[in-house]
Amino acid sequence: MAELRSRLAGVRVFVVEDEFLVSIALEDDLREAGAIVVGPFNDLGSGLDGAAREAFDVAVLDVNLNGTMIYPLADELMARGLPLMFLSGYTAADMPQRFATLPRLTKPYDLTRLIDAIARLAPPRED
């Protein structure tokens, strides 16, 4: 993990994840990589509220939140021009076509691939 420690330094990552253990692991892994975690939020309502009031660089969204799909939040973030990716067991074929080009990783996630994806989505850092 040492080589990943600063990859996301200062990047504000908005997280919506309903599975408690995944949420905790994700939060820990992102912080270890230097990110500032916004959330995690565990349902669509709190995610929508958080997205309206919090500043962030990249969103990482679970697709299915205890039976409620994340699509309204994803649509809102896309309309605002904010980068996002999905972290889910859903395949591209399971999701609406409008999300086909968005980055998606499956759970359980590979930490290196997750950090790489977020780093690609994040705006360039001003050093």
Side-chain angles (χ1 to χ4, degrees):
M1 181 70 176
E3 69 279 0
L4 300 177
R5 275 214 170 93
S6 64
R7 289 284 314 275
L8 301 178
V11 175
R12 295 180 58 83
V13 181
F14 182 84
V15 176
V16 181
E17 171 60 60
D18 68 333
E19 294 179 46
F20 179 74
L21 294 178
V22 174
S23 176
I24 295 298
L26 188 56
E27 187 174 10
D28 289 346
D29 288 341
L30 292 173
R31 283 199 173 123
E32 186 72 20
I36 299 163
V37 177
V38 179
F41 300 94
N42 63 2
D43 60 45
L44 180 59
S46 65
L48 286 164
D49 289 344
R53 71 175 187 276
E54 300 286 345
F56 55 92
D57 301 307
V58 176
V60 176
L61 308 175
D62 185 7
V63 172
N64 185 333
L65 302 170
N66 199 25
T68 301
M69 304 310 268
I70 196 73
Y71 304 145
L73 177 56
D75 285 331
E76 179 182 318
L77 298 180
M78 288 173 60
R80 290 170 49 191
L82 294 169
L84 67 122
M85 64 175 290
F86 296 110
L87 185 62
S88 176
Y90 281 69
T91 67
D94 298 325
M95 298 174 62
Q97 181 62 35
R98 67 188 181 273
F99 303 127
T101 61
L102 295 176
R104 183 182 38 78
L105 291 178
T106 58
K107 290 190 273 186
Y109 59 88
D110 174 271
L111 182 56
T112 301
R113 290 184 65 209
L114 176 66
I115 290 171
D116 286 346
I118 293 170
R120 281 192 302 273
L121 289 169
R125 289 187 286 189
E126 297 176 17
D127 295 325

